[in-house]
Amino acid sequence: MLHQETSSWRSPAPRQLLTAARAAFAEHGTEASLRDVARRAGVGIGTLYRHFPTREALLQALMRDRFDGLARRASGLLAEPSPRDALLAWLTAVAAGSATYRGLPESVMAALRDEGSELHASCAAMRAAGSRLLERAQAQGAVRADVTTEELLALAAGVAWAGEQSPNRPQMAQRLLSLVMTGLTH
């Protein structure tokens, strides 16, 4: 009987763990307790680690779609008539996405520097797509030629962080992005 109960028991789908992680990260940031994530999903910590062996693997699973979407958005914005407006639209989306979870901008910037990171491939694809937008804006004289993609992403991460600190999050982020774009064009 015990064998039948054990064999019929199923590990929760990673989807349940991701749902729990979204809630924990939204409440406590990306450094939320993984034990809390497991508890929210109704499983032990071993089950969480079996599906997501590291915190970065869990973040990667949560953020992959978002980063892929940012890469697609950048590619679509290449067709926009104004390279400056296209870059601003993409930066706005990057900053908004970075503000999803407290601590996410730091995780993204660290992943971009660490090729062994679970998040690196998705971050690198998003970065490459943003580079194409930046290069187009620079080629048209809409953005200073000395600005790098790394600096652009750092600015977006800074805007996201500053927005987290403000009670007027969306308005503050939009104002800061407008100031950033003004600085990038002069």
Side-chain angles (χ1 to χ4, degrees), residues 56 106-115 117 119-120 123:
E56 281 194 345
E106 295 91 342
S107 298
V108 170
M109 295 307 290
L112 281 168
R113 290 186 298 272
D114 179 6
E115 291 183 17
S117 162
L119 286 171
H120 181 77
C123 289

Side-chain angles (χ1 to χ4, degrees), residues 14-25 36-42:
R15 184 178 29 203
Q16 291 170 276
L17 288 164
L18 291 173
T19 298
R22 267 187 212 97
F25 289 175
D36 182 43
V37 171
R39 182 189 54 73
R40 287 174 188 239

